[in-house]
Amino acid sequence: MNPRQIFILSFNAIKERKVRSILTILMVMAGSSLLVAVNGFSAGFTDFFNKQFSNLAPNILFVSSVPQSEGSGGGQGPIAGTSPAPTSKITLNQAVVSRISSLPFVDDVIPSFQETLTVSSRGDSKTNPILSVNPSALTIIAPTLEYVEGSSIRESDPSAAILAEDVAFPPGEDTPFAQLGEAIRLTYSFVDEAGNTQDISKNFVVAGIMESTGNPTIDNAIVINLDAGNSLLQRAGKYDSLFVVAEDSNSVDVVVEQIKAVYKNNIGITTVKAILETIQEFTQGITSFLFGIAVISLIVGAVGIITTLFTSVVERTKEIGTLKAIGAQGSTILILFLVEAVIIGILGGTVGLLGGIGGGYMLTRAGPGAGEGPPLEPIYMPMDMIRVWITSVILSMVAGFLPAWKASRVTPIAALRS
């Protein structure tokens, strides 16, 4: 028989057993779909984190004081809304800023105050993180920062405030919370030494609105300058955190070691690189888990092919005997059944590629927080998809070899007696 006849006989055999063949194809499709989806999901996450890495300025270190109760802990980066511990081992003041600034490979040190205050505007009030920092340093902390049209950065004006876009225009709300040129009121509540609750309020004018950057430090904050923050928050020159700017991302680890050499474990240091590496490790764990499920699904599909073809051999024993009786060789019968397996693999793998593309988009949109923040899109590499397709076809052919070999060993006399 020529290749065309073998293909037609194999394809007709699949058509005659539609339900069983469709179920087997679906098993192969499920495995290949998961492999494609996981590859797209993983590549999308890698690209997403690379973009976030650049948004967060990879040469920035976050330095904070460590409370005495933490012993030799590593500390945390500046988190908006947390107050400085009253019994810190190291007080972050101008002396610390000058000492760190003098270290090799340090370009700049940006001090800041951070707190959560009550913000009032247009008769509405809510709590919101406040970042008190030199406004010109914002583009160092977030290199991609841009302002909406009409914004003016009045660095030395203690009554000027800069709002994050989500603060000025809260998502899901029809009316803005505050707009350019409008007045807002910040109220700081604290407990004094006598144990009494005190409130300090001050009015500010919205001088600028920051567009979303993907940097959580400023994307939900209201920014005021250092003098205003020091006065309003009663800090007396004691900073909550420092942004240490290394010469480049390759110098970050060196700067970390230098700061630790000076202050030991009495100061907390967090780097963007460390944060993202932790997230990437977590993501890689999820990807590996999903990849394992995909491989198992593909193996299940291969088992389905074996079962389908073994059943087909039993059902077609007389047909095999007839073919051999009219001169068909064992190798022809072997190829006939292998072609059936390959057709199933081709159909399952091809449909699986299409299903995997849709599955990748589902994976990136199904988790908690989906639709919030910067979009994460799966990325499908042509070579990855080709490899998955080839793997599906080869695995199907391998799975079909044993039933095909058994069929090729059937003798005409035994077949015709059955």
Side-chain angles (χ1 to χ4, degrees), residues 308-390:
T308 298
L309 293 184
F310 260 124
T311 305
S312 180
V313 169
V314 173
E315 292 176 349
R316 297 163 61 189
T317 302
K318 288 186 178 181
E319 178 187 336
I320 295 169
T322 302
L323 289 172
K324 285 201 167 184
I326 62 176
Q329 300 296 317
S331 58
T332 302
I333 303 300
L334 178 71
I335 293 172
L336 188 68
F337 279 85
L338 282 179
V339 170
E340 284 188 37
V342 169
I343 291 173
I344 290 173
I346 290 174
L347 293 174
T350 303
V351 177
L353 294 184
L354 299 176
I357 292 174
Y361 283 100
M362 290 179 63
L363 281 175
T364 57
R365 287 163 171 74
E372 300 177 4
L376 191 159
E377 298 291 342
I379 296 176
Y380 300 101
M381 303 294 185
M383 287 307 301
D384 286 342
M385 298 182 71
I386 290 172
R387 278 194 290 266
V388 169
W389 188 85
I390 291 174

Side-chain angles (χ1 to χ4, degrees), residues 14-332:
I14 292 174
K15 286 175 63 179
E16 288 173 6
R17 297 160 183 82
K18 288 181 182 178
V19 175
R20 191 187 308 150
S21 297
I22 289 174
L23 291 176
T24 307
I25 290 170
L26 286 175
M27 284 190 285
V28 176
M29 184 202 77
S32 57
S33 292
L34 273 174
L35 282 175
V36 171
V38 169
N39 283 335
F41 174 78
S42 179
F45 253 103
T46 300
D47 181 70
F48 176 79
F49 282 129
N50 287 338
K51 290 178 180 177
Q52 293 304 298
F53 195 78
S54 62
N55 287 342
L56 295 176
N59 62 324
I60 296 287
L61 295 79
F62 306 114
V63 174
S64 60
S65 54
V66 177
Q68 289 184 9
S69 59
E70 286 188 23
S72 58
Q76 295 182 338
I79 302 174
T82 59
S83 301
T87 57
S88 297
K89 290 184 176 183
I90 296 292
T91 299
L92 299 180
N93 52 25
Q94 193 56 43
V96 174
V97 171
S98 299
R99 181 69 182 90
I100 295 178
S101 297
S102 67
L103 295 174
F105 305 107
V106 174
D107 267 353
D108 196 5
V109 178
I110 304 167
S112 70
F113 303 109
Q114 298 189 42
E115 188 57 85
T116 297
L117 306 185
T118 300
V119 187
S120 303
S121 175
R122 297 186 171 191
D124 188 16
S125 296
K126 62 179 180 179
T127 57
N128 204 90
I130 302 298
L131 174 63
S132 175
V133 69
N134 186 339
S136 63
L138 290 174
T139 52
I140 300 175
I141 300 171
T144 60
L145 175 63
E146 292 184 2
Y147 296 93
V148 301
E149 187 177 354
S151 299
S152 61
I153 310 306
R154 304 200 292 268
E155 187 172 329
S156 59
D157 186 351
S159 64
I162 303 172
L163 275 59
E165 188 174 28
D166 284 350
V167 176
F169 308 102
E173 296 186 16
D174 297 331
T175 57
F177 179 73
Q179 292 185 314
L180 290 173
E182 293 185 350
I184 61 173
R185 187 172 184 81
L186 303 183
T187 302
Y188 174 51
S189 300
F190 65 99
V191 178
D192 62 18
E193 295 180 355
N196 300 317
T197 301
Q198 301 288 340
D199 290 336
I200 299 178
S201 297
K202 184 177 179 181
N203 291 329
F204 291 84
V205 175
V206 179
I209 296 177
M210 302 177 289
E211 295 182 355
S212 180
T213 65
N215 187 325
T217 303
I218 64 174
D219 274 355
N220 295 303
I222 295 175
V223 179
I224 56 178
N225 73 11
L226 274 177
D227 291 338
N230 190 36
S231 173
L232 178 63
L233 303 177
Q234 303 289 291
R235 291 294 195 256
K238 299 176 182 179
Y239 304 120
D240 297 327
S241 60
L242 308 176
F243 297 90
V244 179
V245 185
E247 288 184 353
D248 52 53
S249 59
N250 296 324
S251 305
V252 168
D253 292 337
V254 176
V255 173
V256 169
E257 293 303 318
Q258 289 175 342
I259 296 175
K260 285 184 176 179
V262 176
Y263 295 104
K264 310 301 180 186
N265 288 325
N266 298 324
I267 201 165
I269 306 172
T270 303
T271 65
V272 173
K273 181 179 178 182
I275 295 171
L276 291 179
E277 282 178 351
T278 301
I279 297 173
Q280 284 177 321
E281 287 175 4
F282 175 74
T283 305
Q284 287 169 359
I286 296 176
T287 302
S288 298
F289 174 72
L290 293 174
F291 187 83
I293 294 176
V295 171
I296 291 172
S297 298
L298 209 52
I299 293 173
V300 170
V303 172
I305 291 174
I306 294 173
T307 303
T308 298
L309 293 184
F310 260 124
T311 305
S312 180
V313 169
V314 173
E315 292 176 349
R316 297 163 61 189
T317 302
K318 288 186 178 181
E319 178 187 336
I320 295 169
T322 302
L323 289 172
K324 285 201 167 184
I326 62 176
Q329 300 296 317
S331 58
T332 302

